[in-house]
Amino acid sequence: MDTSILVDTRRLTRHVARLAIASLYAELALYPKPGLVSMVDNGSHTDMNAATFMRSLFSLRHYFRHICRAGSDGAPFATLKRLGIDAEQRMLRATGGVNTHRGAIFSLGLLCAAAGRAYAHGADLTAAALQAHLLAGWGKELGGHTTAIDQRTNGLAVAAKHGAKGARHEAASGLPSVFRTGLGALRRTLKEGRNLEHARIDALFALMTHVSDTNVVHRGGPQGAAFVRIQASAFRHAGGTASSGWQAHALAIHHAFVERKLSPGGAADLLAASCFVHALTVEHER
């Protein structure tokens, strides 16, 4: 390989990894964030806090770089899956067995790989290019991945019992909740002149409204999932962060989720992925 290409690829993989970690940190730091762990409180969780998430983040710092490089090398899905499993094991060692970022390892990892593949094919790093290269590179394998008989995780068990669609179905469809719902909400809020904090809150509530979140169904059943959608829809109907009382409204929803032990972790993972796509593509989308 040409030395200059190798240097550029290394620069890209480092850049992509930094953005992936920064996006996960942005999700953690956001508040108020219904039912989810933040720097302020533990949300609906008794087994994890912000420090747990920070240890998890540190354990993943090399994973995103390696999977981006795998994507640029045209690696098959089996290679990406192995890298993800290794990253998950490191995460669990860092957190004492607590699942903080399993969903993000999957969805964000695929996006990093797609960024590497797009770059290797000479494409501009736009949102459309990322989604196209995700599907072109691994769409067929991801489609088959959704039918695997595997009940080892709560999300898969819930999906089998209730028909909820989790991260695997999202990825097989090209992560539409990221590219349409989350990224769309982020861009709309920013276009309206509000800041990134507002944009991330609006994106989270948009995702809670539209995503079939196996984390919520696992904790609260179909009734809990309906409660999450109703509360998120009410926040958006009131104007989202364009409303003068949005913080109090979001905090009230947060307390209601904690009371019911609901935690939309799937939406949180997709929010981080949406933040990543926005950060990576913003210069190419102008």
Side-chain angles (χ1 to χ4, degrees):
M1 178 181 289
D2 187 291
T3 304
S4 62
I5 296 175
L6 183 60
V7 170
D8 286 345
T9 302
R10 287 175 176 170
R11 186 179 296 117
L12 173 79
T13 60
R14 289 195 296 266
H15 176 60
V16 164
R18 282 195 297 269
L19 291 182
I21 293 295
S23 298
L24 289 173
Y25 180 80
E27 185 281 318
L28 174 62
L30 197 63
Y31 188 84
K33 194 174 51 181
L36 297 162
V37 173
S38 72
M39 299 296 191
V40 178
D41 60 44
N42 299 348
S44 298
H45 298 272
T46 58
D47 60 342
M48 63 181 81
N49 56 28
T52 317
F53 273 74
M54 291 302 294
R55 290 196 300 273
S56 178
L57 280 174
F58 188 75
S59 76
L60 298 176
R61 66 196 186 282
H62 298 308
Y63 162 64
F64 295 117
R65 178 166 53 86
H66 291 157
I67 200 167
C68 179
R69 178 57 189 268
S72 72
D73 290 341
F77 181 70
T79 299
L80 306 189
K81 183 177 179 181
R82 177 179 54 77
L83 288 170
I85 291 171
D86 290 345
E88 182 178 316
Q89 291 172 347
R90 287 194 298 274
M91 172 198 74
L92 293 173
R93 287 196 296 270
T95 63
V98 177
N99 169 25
T100 45
H101 287 120
R102 180 177 284 134
I105 287 170
F106 184 66
S107 56
L108 255 181
L110 285 172
L111 288 169
C112 290
R117 189 180 192 278
Y119 179 81
H121 282 75
D124 287 337
L125 292 180
T126 63
L130 281 185
Q131 188 174 40
H133 279 277
L134 170 64
L135 290 171
W138 308 285
K140 182 178 179 180
E141 291 88 345
L142 285 166
H145 197 49
T146 64
T147 62
I149 305 300
D150 185 348
Q151 300 298 312
R152 290 175 297 173
T153 69
N154 290 329
L156 290 168
V158 166
K161 182 177 180 181
H162 298 287
K165 293 181 179 178
R168 294 185 178 194
H169 286 273
E170 267 289 316
S173 302
L175 294 174
S177 291
V178 172
F179 289 102
R180 288 205 298 265
T181 304
L183 186 61
L186 272 168
R187 289 176 171 173
R188 280 193 299 274
T189 297
L190 291 172
K191 187 176 181 179
E192 290 168 4
R194 296 191 296 285
N195 63 28
L196 269 175
E197 177 195 7
H198 294 95
R200 289 164 180 162
I201 290 287
D202 283 336
L204 176 62
F205 276 87
L207 289 163
M208 286 194 295
T209 301
H210 293 291
V211 170
S212 179
D213 195 327
T214 55
N215 291 272
V216 172
V217 180
H218 170 67
R219 282 175 165 264
Q223 297 83 3
F227 183 79
V228 167
R229 286 193 297 271
I230 289 168
Q231 294 299 313
S233 296
F235 179 83
R236 299 183 71 207
H237 184 72
T241 62
S243 168
S244 60
W246 76 264
Q247 288 173 310
H249 191 177
L251 188 60
I253 296 173
H254 175 52
H255 292 153
F257 279 26
V258 171
E259 182 180 351
R260 292 165 176 79
K261 297 181 172 59
L262 299 172
S263 178
D269 291 333
L270 293 170
L271 172 63
S274 301
C275 291
F276 169 78
V277 173
H278 175 260
L280 183 65
T281 64
V282 63
E283 293 183 0
H284 298 274
E285 300 279 357
R286 291 172 181 168

